[in-house]
PDB file of all heavy atoms in Angstrom:
ATOM      1  N   GLY A   1      -8.948 -57.368   8.471  1.00 91.00           N
ATOM      2  CA  GLY A   1      -9.664 -56.097   8.499  1.00 91.00           C
ATOM      3  C   GLY A   1     -10.933 -56.205   9.309  1.00 91.00           C
ATOM      4  O   GLY A   1     -11.172 -57.196   9.990  1.00 91.00           O
ATOM      5  N   ASN A   2     -11.744 -55.175   9.227  1.00 94.00           N
ATOM      6  CA  ASN A   2     -12.932 -55.074  10.075  1.00 94.00           C
ATOM      7  C   ASN A   2     -14.225 -55.207   9.319  1.00 94.00           C
ATOM      8  O   ASN A   2     -15.295 -54.865   9.834  1.00 94.00           O
ATOM      9  CB  ASN A   2     -12.924 -53.717  10.805  1.00 94.00           C
ATOM     10  CG  ASN A   2     -11.745 -53.578  11.748  1.00 94.00           C
ATOM     11  OD1 ASN A   2     -11.547 -54.425  12.621  1.00 94.00           O
ATOM     12  ND2 ASN A   2     -10.966 -52.540  11.571  1.00 94.00           N
ATOM     13  N   ALA A   3     -14.197 -55.749   8.084  1.00 97.00           N
ATOM     14  CA  ALA A   3     -15.422 -55.830   7.289  1.00 97.00           C
ATOM     15  C   ALA A   3     -16.509 -56.663   7.986  1.00 97.00           C
ATOM     16  O   ALA A   3     -17.665 -56.231   8.049  1.00 97.00           O
ATOM     17  CB  ALA A   3     -15.117 -56.410   5.917  1.00 97.00           C
ATOM     18  N   ASP A   4     -16.150 -57.825   8.460  1.00 97.00           N
ATOM     19  CA  ASP A   4     -17.155 -58.686   9.113  1.00 97.00           C
ATOM     20  C   ASP A   4     -17.765 -58.016  10.342  1.00 97.00           C
ATOM     21  O   ASP A   4     -18.959 -58.073  10.566  1.00 97.00           O
ATOM     22  CB  ASP A   4     -16.524 -60.028   9.483  1.00 97.00           C
ATOM     23  CG  ASP A   4     -16.250 -60.896   8.261  1.00 97.00           C
ATOM     24  OD1 ASP A   4     -16.809 -60.630   7.203  1.00 97.00           O
ATOM     25  OD2 ASP A   4     -15.440 -61.836   8.382  1.00 97.00           O
ATOM     26  N   THR A   5     -16.905 -57.371  11.119  1.00 97.00           N
ATOM     27  CA  THR A   5     -17.395 -56.712  12.328  1.00 97.00           C
ATOM     28  C   THR A   5     -18.290 -55.530  11.993  1.00 97.00           C
ATOM     29  O   THR A   5     -19.332 -55.324  12.627  1.00 97.00           O
ATOM     30  CB  THR A   5     -16.200 -56.224  13.179  1.00 97.00           C
ATOM     31  OG1 THR A   5     -15.323 -57.322  13.411  1.00 97.00           O
ATOM     32  CG2 THR A   5     -16.678 -55.703  14.531  1.00 97.00           C
ATOM     33  N   LEU A   6     -17.917 -54.755  10.987  1.00 98.00           N
ATOM     34  CA  LEU A   6     -18.758 -53.660  10.536  1.00 98.00           C
ATOM     35  C   LEU A   6     -20.153 -54.139  10.103  1.00 98.00           C
ATOM     36  O   LEU A   6     -21.179 -53.569  10.495  1.00 98.00           O
ATOM     37  CB  LEU A   6     -18.112 -52.894   9.397  1.00 98.00           C
ATOM     38  CG  LEU A   6     -17.061 -51.855   9.749  1.00 98.00           C
ATOM     39  CD1 LEU A   6     -16.250 -51.421   8.543  1.00 98.00           C
ATOM     40  CD2 LEU A   6     -17.706 -50.634  10.425  1.00 98.00           C
ATOM     41  N   ASN A   7     -20.171 -55.205   9.327  1.00 98.00           N
ATOM     42  CA  ASN A   7     -21.456 -55.743   8.873  1.00 98.00           C
ATOM     43  C   ASN A   7     -22.282 -56.295  10.023  1.00 98.00           C
ATOM     44  O   ASN A   7     -23.505 -56.148  10.059  1.00 98.00           O
ATOM     45  CB  ASN A   7     -21.232 -56.806   7.806  1.00 98.00           C
ATOM     46  CG  ASN A   7     -20.780 -56.238   6.489  1.00 98.00           C
ATOM     47  OD1 ASN A   7     -21.129 -55.104   6.142  1.00 98.00           O
ATOM     48  ND2 ASN A   7     -19.973 -56.993   5.743  1.00 98.00           N
ATOM     49  N   ALA A   8     -21.608 -56.946  10.965  1.00 98.00           N
ATOM     50  CA  ALA A   8     -22.330 -57.473  12.125  1.00 98.00           C
ATOM     51  C   ALA A   8     -22.957 -56.371  12.958  1.00 98.00           C
ATOM     52  O   ALA A   8     -23.988 -56.592  13.636  1.00 98.00           O
ATOM     53  CB  ALA A   8     -21.368 -58.291  13.005  1.00 98.00           C
ATOM     54  N   GLN A   9     -22.387 -55.156  12.905  1.00 98.00           N
ATOM     55  CA  GLN A   9     -22.900 -54.022  13.656  1.00 98.00           C
ATOM     56  C   GLN A   9     -23.695 -53.052  12.762  1.00 98.00           C
ATOM     57  O   GLN A   9     -23.925 -51.915  13.170  1.00 98.00           O
ATOM     58  CB  GLN A   9     -21.754 -53.266  14.359  1.00 98.00           C
ATOM     59  CG  GLN A   9     -21.039 -54.121  15.397  1.00 98.00           C
ATOM     60  CD  GLN A   9     -20.046 -53.339  16.252  1.00 98.00           C
ATOM     61  OE1 GLN A   9     -19.466 -53.891  17.187  1.00 98.00           O
ATOM     62  NE2 GLN A   9     -19.833 -52.063  15.984  1.00 98.00           N
ATOM     63  N   ASP A  10     -24.123 -53.520  11.568  1.00 98.00           N
ATOM     64  CA  ASP A  10     -24.881 -52.712  10.640  1.00 98.00           C
ATOM     65  C   ASP A  10     -24.142 -51.416  10.297  1.00 98.00           C
ATOM     66  O   ASP A  10     -24.725 -50.358  10.073  1.00 98.00           O
ATOM     67  CB  ASP A  10     -26.269 -52.360  11.239  1.00 98.00           C
ATOM     68  CG  ASP A  10     -27.218 -51.750  10.195  1.00 98.00           C
ATOM     69  OD1 ASP A  10     -27.035 -52.027   8.991  1.00 98.00           O
ATOM     70  OD2 ASP A  10     -28.087 -50.979  10.591  1.00 98.00           O
ATOM     71  N   GLY A  11     -22.793 -51.488  10.244  1.00 98.00           N
ATOM     72  CA  GLY A  11     -21.982 -50.329   9.913  1.00 98.00           C
ATOM     73  C   GLY A  11     -21.811 -49.322  11.014  1.00 98.00           C
ATOM     74  O   GLY A  11     -21.112 -48.315  10.854  1.00 98.00           O
ATOM     75  N   LEU A  12     -22.414 -49.541  12.179  1.00 98.00           N
ATOM     76  CA  LEU A  12     -22.371 -48.600  13.279  1.00 98.00           C
ATOM     77  C   LEU A  12     -21.107 -48.758  14.142  1.00 98.00           C
ATOM     78  O   LEU A  12     -20.624 -49.875  14.309  1.00 98.00           O
ATOM     79  CB  LEU A  12     -23.609 -48.756  14.147  1.00 98.00           C
ATOM     80  CG  LEU A  12     -24.983 -48.554  13.487  1.00 98.00           C
ATOM     81  CD1 LEU A  12     -26.072 -48.888  14.467  1.00 98.00           C
ATOM     82  CD2 LEU A  12     -25.110 -47.117  12.981  1.00 98.00           C
ATOM     83  N   PHE A  13     -20.634 -47.670  14.659  1.00 98.00           N
ATOM     84  CA  PHE A  13     -19.538 -47.712  15.642  1.00 98.00           C
ATOM     85  C   PHE A  13     -19.593 -46.413  16.450  1.00 98.00           C
ATOM     86  O   PHE A  13     -20.212 -45.424  16.048  1.00 98.00           O
ATOM     87  CB  PHE A  13     -18.178 -47.891  14.988  1.00 98.00           C
ATOM     88  CG  PHE A  13     -17.694 -46.679  14.234  1.00 98.00           C
ATOM     89  CD1 PHE A  13     -16.895 -45.729  14.827  1.00 98.00           C
ATOM     90  CD2 PHE A  13     -18.054 -46.486  12.889  1.00 98.00           C
ATOM     91  CE1 PHE A  13     -16.465 -44.605  14.124  1.00 98.00           C
ATOM     92  CE2 PHE A  13     -17.622 -45.377  12.181  1.00 98.00           C
ATOM     93  CZ  PHE A  13     -16.836 -44.436  12.808  1.00 98.00           C
ATOM     94  N   THR A  14     -18.931 -46.439  17.598  1.00 98.00           N
ATOM     95  CA  THR A  14     -18.946 -45.301  18.498  1.00 98.00           C
ATOM     96  C   THR A  14     -17.622 -44.548  18.379  1.00 98.00           C
ATOM     97  O   THR A  14     -16.548 -45.161  18.499  1.00 98.00           O
ATOM     98  CB  THR A  14     -19.140 -45.737  19.948  1.00 98.00           C
ATOM     99  OG1 THR A  14     -20.337 -46.536  20.038  1.00 98.00           O
ATOM    100  CG2 THR A  14     -19.269 -44.544  20.876  1.00 98.00           C
ATOM    101  N   LEU A  15     -17.692 -43.256  18.167  1.00 98.00           N
ATOM    102  CA  LEU A  15     -16.499 -42.410  18.204  1.00 98.00           C
ATOM    103  C   LEU A  15     -16.416 -41.733  19.562  1.00 98.00           C
ATOM    104  O   LEU A  15     -17.377 -41.114  20.015  1.00 98.00           O
ATOM    105  CB  LEU A  15     -16.590 -41.346  17.107  1.00 98.00           C
ATOM    106  CG  LEU A  15     -15.437 -40.372  17.046  1.00 98.00           C
ATOM    107  CD1 LEU A  15     -14.115 -41.057  16.673  1.00 98.00           C
ATOM    108  CD2 LEU A  15     -15.717 -39.235  16.040  1.00 98.00           C
ATOM    109  N   VAL A  16     -15.257 -41.877  20.207  1.00 97.00           N
ATOM    110  CA  VAL A  16     -15.005 -41.241  21.486  1.00 97.00           C
ATOM    111  C   VAL A  16     -13.907 -40.194  21.286  1.00 97.00           C
ATOM    112  O   VAL A  16     -12.797 -40.536  20.879  1.00 97.00           O
ATOM    113  CB  VAL A  16     -14.548 -42.261  22.545  1.00 97.00           C
ATOM    114  CG1 VAL A  16     -14.306 -41.589  23.877  1.00 97.00           C
ATOM    115  CG2 VAL A  16     -15.580 -43.391  22.690  1.00 97.00           C
ATOM    116  N   GLU A  17     -14.251 -38.954  21.511  1.00 97.00           N
ATOM    117  CA  GLU A  17     -13.274 -37.861  21.392  1.00 97.00           C
ATOM    118  C   GLU A  17     -12.818 -37.473  22.778  1.00 97.00           C
ATOM    119  O   GLU A  17     -13.621 -37.114  23.630  1.00 97.00           O
ATOM    120  CB  GLU A  17     -13.911 -36.649  20.695  1.00 97.00           C
ATOM    121  CG  GLU A  17     -14.297 -36.915  19.268  1.00 97.00           C
ATOM    122  CD  GLU A  17     -14.971 -35.741  18.605  1.00 97.00           C
ATOM    123  OE1 GLU A  17     -15.658 -34.969  19.313  1.00 97.00           O
ATOM    124  OE2 GLU A  17     -14.782 -35.568  17.383  1.00 97.00           O
ATOM    125  N   ARG A  18     -11.492 -37.544  22.978  1.00 96.00           N
ATOM    126  CA  ARG A  18     -10.907 -37.246  24.288  1.00 96.00           C
ATOM    127  C   ARG A  18      -9.728 -36.278  24.128  1.00 96.00           C
ATOM    128  O   ARG A  18      -8.847 -36.511  23.294  1.00 96.00           O
ATOM    129  CB  ARG A  18     -10.407 -38.514  24.947  1.00 96.00           C
ATOM    130  CG  ARG A  18     -11.465 -39.471  25.440  1.00 96.00           C
ATOM    131  CD  ARG A  18     -10.820 -40.761  25.929  1.00 96.00           C
ATOM    132  NE  ARG A  18     -11.753 -41.606  26.646  1.00 96.00           N
ATOM    133  CZ  ARG A  18     -11.497 -42.824  27.087  1.00 96.00           C
ATOM    134  NH1 ARG A  18     -10.268 -43.348  26.843  1.00 96.00           N
ATOM    135  NH2 ARG A  18     -12.379 -43.529  27.742  1.00 96.00           N
ATOM    136  N   GLY A  19      -9.688 -35.260  24.944  1.00 96.00           N
ATOM    137  CA  GLY A  19      -8.553 -34.356  24.857  1.00 96.00           C
ATOM    138  C   GLY A  19      -8.854 -33.047  25.536  1.00 96.00           C
ATOM    139  O   GLY A  19      -9.712 -32.935  26.420  1.00 96.00           O
ATOM    140  N   LEU A  20      -8.130 -32.010  25.111  1.00 95.00           N
ATOM    141  CA  LEU A  20      -8.300 -30.685  25.643  1.00 95.00           C
ATOM    142  C   LEU A  20      -8.872 -29.755  24.589  1.00 95.00           C
ATOM    143  O   LEU A  20      -8.481 -29.822  23.434  1.00 95.00           O
ATOM    144  CB  LEU A  20      -6.948 -30.118  26.119  1.00 95.00           C
ATOM    145  CG  LEU A  20      -6.211 -30.875  27.223  1.00 95.00           C
ATOM    146  CD1 LEU A  20      -4.852 -30.258  27.479  1.00 95.00           C
ATOM    147  CD2 LEU A  20      -7.040 -30.881  28.497  1.00 95.00           C
ATOM    148  N   GLU A  21      -9.787 -28.896  24.995  1.00 91.00           N
ATOM    149  CA  GLU A  21     -10.284 -27.836  24.149  1.00 91.00           C
ATOM    150  C   GLU A  21     -10.348 -26.571  24.962  1.00 91.00           C
ATOM    151  O   GLU A  21     -11.002 -26.488  26.005  1.00 91.00           O
ATOM    152  CB  GLU A  21     -11.709 -28.152  23.625  1.00 91.00           C
ATOM    153  CG  GLU A  21     -11.707 -29.125  22.450  1.00 91.00           C
ATOM    154  CD  GLU A  21     -13.062 -29.248  21.815  1.00 91.00           C
ATOM    155  OE1 GLU A  21     -14.055 -28.785  22.430  1.00 91.00           O
ATOM    156  OE2 GLU A  21     -13.163 -29.839  20.716  1.00 91.00           O
ATOM    157  N   ASN A  22      -9.551 -25.563  24.528  1.00 89.00           N
ATOM    158  CA  ASN A  22      -9.456 -24.309  25.273  1.00 89.00           C
ATOM    159  C   ASN A  22      -9.046 -24.551  26.707  1.00 89.00           C
ATOM    160  O   ASN A  22      -9.536 -23.896  27.649  1.00 89.00           O
ATOM    161  CB  ASN A  22     -10.770 -23.535  25.211  1.00 89.00           C
ATOM    162  CG  ASN A  22     -11.165 -23.200  23.782  1.00 89.00           C
ATOM    163  OD1 ASN A  22     -10.332 -22.819  22.990  1.00 89.00           O
ATOM    164  ND2 ASN A  22     -12.438 -23.381  23.476  1.00 89.00           N
ATOM    165  N   GLY A  23      -8.129 -25.516  26.908  1.00 91.00           N
ATOM    166  CA  GLY A  23      -7.587 -25.801  28.219  1.00 91.00           C
ATOM    167  C   GLY A  23      -8.441 -26.685  29.095  1.00 91.00           C
ATOM    168  O   GLY A  23      -8.021 -27.055  30.214  1.00 91.00           O
ATOM    169  N   LYS A  24      -9.621 -27.069  28.639  1.00 95.00           N
ATOM    170  CA  LYS A  24     -10.513 -27.897  29.437  1.00 95.00           C
ATOM    171  C   LYS A  24     -10.555 -29.329  28.922  1.00 95.00           C
ATOM    172  O   LYS A  24     -10.554 -29.571  27.707  1.00 95.00           O
ATOM    173  CB  LYS A  24     -11.937 -27.313  29.420  1.00 95.00           C
ATOM    174  CG  LYS A  24     -12.033 -25.940  30.052  1.00 95.00           C
ATOM    175  CD  LYS A  24     -13.469 -25.427  30.009  1.00 95.00           C
ATOM    176  CE  LYS A  24     -13.577 -24.049  30.652  1.00 95.00           C
ATOM    177  NZ  LYS A  24     -14.965 -23.530  30.607  1.00 95.00           N
TER     178      LYS A  24
END
C-alpha cells in the first residue's frame, strides 16, 4: 500500500483532472 509514501509526503498528493467539459 501507500502508507509509507503518504507519511513521507505529510499526507499531500497532487490530483490531476483531465478530460472534456462542455466539449472543451
